[in-house]
Amino acid sequence: MIRVLLNTIFFCIESNRPSSALHFIISAEKILELHSDLYFEKVKLLYLSGIYKIISGNSDVGIDMSNKAIQIMNALGDINAVNNHEIYLRKRWRFQNDNS
């Protein structure tokens, strides 16, 4: 269920539907509050929430959130995820990870 929500959030972001994205972000947050063991999903939600902040006009906070998620992925050794998320952030949103 949570993976479907994360994919839906991404789709809403890509479709420029921020209010819909926020609705699904809130739903995902509620589910993840109940599951302390879903680390990947929590990090992905942090990243997507950052992108949501960027498209909602709060770029500084959004960039910080997305970069924090990337840092966590890096600390966990998921280099492929780090690369993919950095590329998306840089190319799609024209921002760069401060740690690159």
Side-chain angles (χ1 to χ4, degrees):
M1 175 75 167
I2 192 66
R3 296 256 174 133
V4 171
L5 281 173
L6 294 172
N7 287 334
T8 303
I9 294 165
F10 180 76
F11 175 79
C12 291
I13 288 169
E14 282 294 299
S15 301
N16 197 26
R17 298 178 181 174
S19 61
S20 295
L22 180 58
H23 169 76
F24 292 112
I25 288 169
I26 291 167
S27 296
E29 288 172 342
K30 288 178 182 176
I31 291 171
L32 289 174
E33 284 176 5
L34 304 173
H35 300 280
S36 60
D37 59 333
L38 298 176
Y39 301 111
F40 168 81
E41 291 80 1
K42 289 181 179 187
V43 173
K44 185 71 173 189
L45 182 60
L46 176 63
Y47 180 82
L48 291 171
S49 295
I51 300 298
Y52 165 78
K53 294 281 187 184
I54 292 169
I55 66 172
S56 296
N58 200 346
S59 294
D60 292 339
V61 171
I63 293 165
D64 288 344
M65 290 172 72
S66 294
N67 281 334
K68 184 176 181 181
I70 291 169
Q71 290 169 358
I72 294 167
M73 292 172 199
N74 191 43
L76 294 174
D78 193 347
I79 303 307
N80 287 331
V82 168
N83 290 336
N84 290 337
H85 288 82
E86 283 181 339
I87 289 168
Y88 179 77
L89 185 63
R90 184 174 56 247
K91 286 187 177 179
R92 178 69 167 93
W93 302 105
R94 307 284 192 266
F95 298 109
Q96 200 162 5
N97 187 331
D98 294 332
N99 296 326
S100 298

